[in-house]
Amino acid sequence: MSVQRIDGNPRMSKVVVHGDTVYLAGLTADKTLGQSLAEQTREILSLIDGFLAKAGTDKSKLLTATIWLSDIRTVDEMNKIWDAWVTPAHTPARACIEALLQGPDRKIEIQVTAAR
């Protein structure tokens, strides 16, 4: 079975497709770095939409999601944005974890896997 890599560099690929499974790297905010958790979440979810489209799928086919928050007490703020974005009745298996991220301005990282 072939492996397709999208937006790769010597260290990693943003997307890896194997068969009918699409794996996204953990994504963090760039344009909204240092802004609110809500703004960073919106940016990342938009990036996810774009990468899934490049791989020939969309958020209605999400299988799993892992979300890392720099402060787990902000989960309700993030969930409001997530719940408005995710496709009803097509929600992925999900974990949400508190973790040290790459610097104090990063509030969230999200990684998803989807079917095609």
Side-chain angles (χ1 to χ4, degrees), residues 10-68:
R11 179 171 293 147
M12 62 179 277
S13 297
K14 295 285 185 174
V15 182
V16 175
V17 181
H18 181 252
D20 286 328
T21 306
V22 178
Y23 304 89
L24 268 63
L27 301 173
T28 58
D30 182 35
K31 295 176 184 172
T32 57
L33 186 63
Q35 295 181 28
S36 72
L37 172 63
E39 289 304 314
Q40 289 188 32
T41 303
R42 283 187 193 97
E43 178 185 347
I44 295 166
L45 296 177
S46 178
L47 291 170
I48 289 170
D49 284 334
F51 285 124
L52 290 175
K54 283 184 177 184
T57 191
D58 63 60
K59 65 186 174 184
S60 72
K61 295 183 179 142
L62 288 178
L63 301 172
T64 65
T66 303
I67 302 166
W68 295 271

Side-chain angles (χ1 to χ4, degrees), residues 57-111:
T57 191
D58 63 60
K59 65 186 174 184
S60 72
K61 295 183 179 142
L62 288 178
L63 301 172
T64 65
T66 303
I67 302 166
W68 295 271
L69 295 172
S70 63
D71 183 348
I72 199 67
R73 294 172 296 182
T74 61
V75 69
D76 290 338
E77 180 183 357
M78 183 277 303
N79 276 335
K80 288 178 187 173
I81 308 304
W82 176 269
D83 292 345
W85 173 79
V86 76
T87 304
H90 297 280
T91 54
R94 191 186 102 166
C96 188
I97 306 156
E98 182 177 60
L100 292 174
L101 300 177
Q102 302 161 347
D105 291 336
R106 294 198 193 281
K107 300 179 184 322
I108 184 170
E109 182 169 344
I110 303 174
Q111 180 182 32

